[in-house]
Amino acid sequence: MNARAERSIEWHATIDSTMRRAAELARAGAAAGAIVGADQQTAGQGRLGRPWFSASPGGLYFTMILRPRLEAANLPLVTLTLGLAVADSVQMFTGLPCDLRWPNDVLANGRKLAGILTQMHDGAVLAGIGLNVNQPDFPEEIREIATSIVLETGTEHDKHFLLRAIAGGIETHVNILETSGGAAILRLFTAASSYVSGRRVAVELPAGETRGITAGLTPEGFLLLDTEAGERITITAGGVRPLA
Ligand code: BTN
């Protein structure tokens, strides 16, 4: 039996959040590659403390437990690696071209197709993925900014097939990070993302919104921004929004 056939997948019809359950499993010593998924979440968690809309069973919601052979300081690079893996797998298995918005939003035709939440718990990395697969529509408040694979391609896709494809893609890309190092991931991310350089954006920072032009990535995986005030700053966290 190969490693993929042995993968542990705990599937729930409804759960509060796969992040919470995955943290429990990580604490109990779950192996790398273990997955918790659900058809619906009642308290889906997004980045920056935001909720993640998880009411539709058309979405794919899962958390994968990773135990990368890396220092905790490399977590920002793991975050980029996960975005690359999801974009790459979706493109490969659905034919839908994807873009990446730092740090790891997966976009299709400028709208958000997948969100990724990375957390560390008890020495494990929890990779939480919310991928919009078969939703025919979204609630009013996110309709203009969200999209799904079926809306973009006109074809429904099997969520469980995509789950296994993405899990394999994550393992491949984490392996690239472990063996070839951060520079390889930074090169791949830069090639796959229209947001890394020369893009006019607004960034939400604790001190307020800052506007500028993106100017590449640091070796740690942070985003450089040439601000309208003429400074070059490093963005280590925050939400990036495109400006015309
Ligand atoms: C983002 O804000 O872009 C990240 C969203 C991550 C959502 C996924 S859905 C599966 C997993 N469980 C959660 O509660 N959140 C993540």
Side-chain angles (χ1 to χ4, degrees):
M1 202 188 279
N2 65 31
R4 196 169 294 188
E6 287 167 15
R7 185 187 303 290
S8 147
I9 301 179
E10 181 183 292
W11 197 264
H12 298 260
T14 304
I15 196 169
D16 49 356
S17 165
T18 59
M19 300 304 285
R20 198 239 351 117
R21 177 64 183 141
E24 261 176 20
L25 293 177
R27 198 171 312 124
I35 286 175
V36 185
D39 287 316
Q40 284 174 298
Q41 298 181 116
T42 54
Q45 304 169 18
R47 287 180 61 238
L48 309 170
R50 296 176 184 141
W52 181 256
F53 168 69
S54 317
S56 169
L60 173 60
Y61 316 107
F62 72 95
T63 301
M64 183 168 176
I65 296 173
L66 303 172
R67 298 190 182 278
R69 287 173 280 124
L70 295 165
E71 304 291 316
N74 284 320
L75 197 61
L77 287 169
V78 175
T79 300
L80 302 187
T81 302
L82 293 169
L84 262 175
V86 174
D88 206 55
S89 309
V90 169
Q91 283 176 170
M92 196 142 55
F93 289 96
T94 71
L96 176 61
C98 294
D99 191 8
L100 284 162
R101 179 173 58 203
W102 187 91
N104 61 11
D105 286 341
V106 180
L107 309 178
N109 289 315
R111 294 180 182 210
K112 190 148 160 174
L113 187 71
I116 301 170
L117 182 63
T118 317
Q119 295 177 344
M120 284 213 66
H121 276 277
D122 297 290
V125 174
L126 307 185
I129 320 280
L131 172 66
N132 299 328
V133 183
N134 294 325
Q135 291 100 320
D137 198 7
F138 288 94
E140 181 78 42
E141 59 277 18
I142 55 171
R143 193 165 292 151
E144 291 302 311
I145 54 168
T147 193
S148 66
I149 294 174
V150 72
L151 283 172
E152 297 298 328
T153 65
T155 309
E156 290 210 346
H157 282 76
D158 181 338
K159 285 193 312 183
H160 293 275
F161 174 81
L162 283 174
L163 167 69
R164 286 172 190 277
I166 293 169
I170 288 174
E171 282 167 344
T172 301
H173 282 80
V174 170
N175 201 253
I176 294 172
L177 176 60
E178 287 172 336
T179 56
S180 302
I185 293 298
L186 294 175
R187 254 196 319 275
L188 289 170
F189 193 95
T190 301
S193 168
S194 74
Y195 274 80
V196 167
S197 299
R199 190 82 188 242
R200 192 158 175 266
V201 296
V203 184
E204 283 166 43
L205 297 174
E209 190 181 86
T210 303
R211 295 173 169 219
I213 310 275
T214 59
L217 299 170
T218 70
E220 299 81 19
F222 299 135
L223 184 66
L224 292 168
L225 186 75
D226 289 336
T227 69
E228 288 176 347
E231 280 177 316
R232 175 161 289 189
I233 62 169
T234 301
I235 311 294
T236 58
V240 171
R241 180 166 64 78
L243 292 173

